[in-house]
Amino acid sequence: MYVFSRITTGYKKFLKGLACEDAVEHRQFDDFAVMACADGHGDRKCKYAAKGAELAVWTICKILQEKRSEADGVEDFGRVLNDGRESIIKSFICAWVGAVLDDYKVNHAEDAAFQSVFKELSRYAKRIYHVRSEEMPVREFRKLAEYRHKCEEEIYKITLLYGTTVNAAVITDKFVFAIGIGDGDVVAVNGKRAEWLLPAYAQFTDSPASLCGNFGIMPDNFKTNYVPVTKGRRLTDCYFRPETVTISTDGLRNAFLSDEAFAEKLVEIADAFRKGEGQAFVRNGKKWISERSEYGVTQDDIAFAMWTKYPLRAKKAESRKGAEKGKSATAKSRKSEVR
């Protein structure tokens, strides 16, 4: 298998001299790959969105990677992910909030009010979803509720500055696990079809769910999906043997005239990898998304990560040409040594 990613600043931002607010991360191991994309909010209220996106992809990849150590094998890894959906979501939210608070503390030493409550907020961030199992008097319960509201209100002021969406996936030869919040896309090319592994938002959506919202309802805004790899030999099986899995921020799909055109392009790319012609796409991926942003409707930032089951290899003609260049270079080197 092969995993790679590309990212580009949206053409509209490029003309204004603004920075990209998307982030992408991918990690490849012996028996699985994990990848993620995040789309920082292009809003004045979210002035640290680029950093929020960067923290989001790093944190979610780390959590999903660590889950592998809890499993005996790849199939057991799938069970751990599938059975632990809720805990993964809540662990990620807490970890991302903690990372955001740490970043703000380091970069805003002048904010005395925040510095004075940082330790308390940091402790609370680790226990956002902690549930008190024992019964308590009404007065104590009210006091706890007021404390939670106070902490979350203070934390929200900071997380709003780092607002972002995030989508991630774990890919193995036994299953694909997808998780995310917001309007990014997680799409598998399965045979000749492009299939969304998480529900697709309508194109050009402006207000998707994100990580800078109400902590109480945020876990419900996450979507997850576990899809076992099957050959569809039994009547009860669904055929799922993905050739590629792509995670992208909404800027990529919005750069096409329709969802159908976007899906057709992903199928075309998968076909190129199947034929051993994927090297050209990998080499020109950055240029491709830069052009898509320039000529697309929203001219937004674009980031994507792609996994393919096919090993990356150059076409035979290119390999032969490269070998001839290598021989020529060696010959020139030897002549230089003689001289």
Side-chain angles (χ1 to χ4, degrees), residues 14 37 63 74 109 156 162 181 186 203 255 277:
F14 171 74
C37 279
I63 287 175
V74 173
Y156 174 72
Y162 292 76
I181 183 171
V186 184
Q203 273 192 308
E277 300 170 356

Side-chain angles (χ1 to χ4, degrees), residues 151-179:
C151 288
E152 292 185 13
E153 194 173 55
E154 291 298 320
I155 290 175
Y156 174 72
K157 293 176 184 177
I158 306 302
T159 56
L160 177 61
L161 299 171
Y162 292 76
T164 183
T165 62
V166 67
N167 286 280
V170 173
I171 306 102
T172 76
D173 61 353
K174 300 294 183 182
F175 69 87
V176 176
F177 177 78
I179 180 172

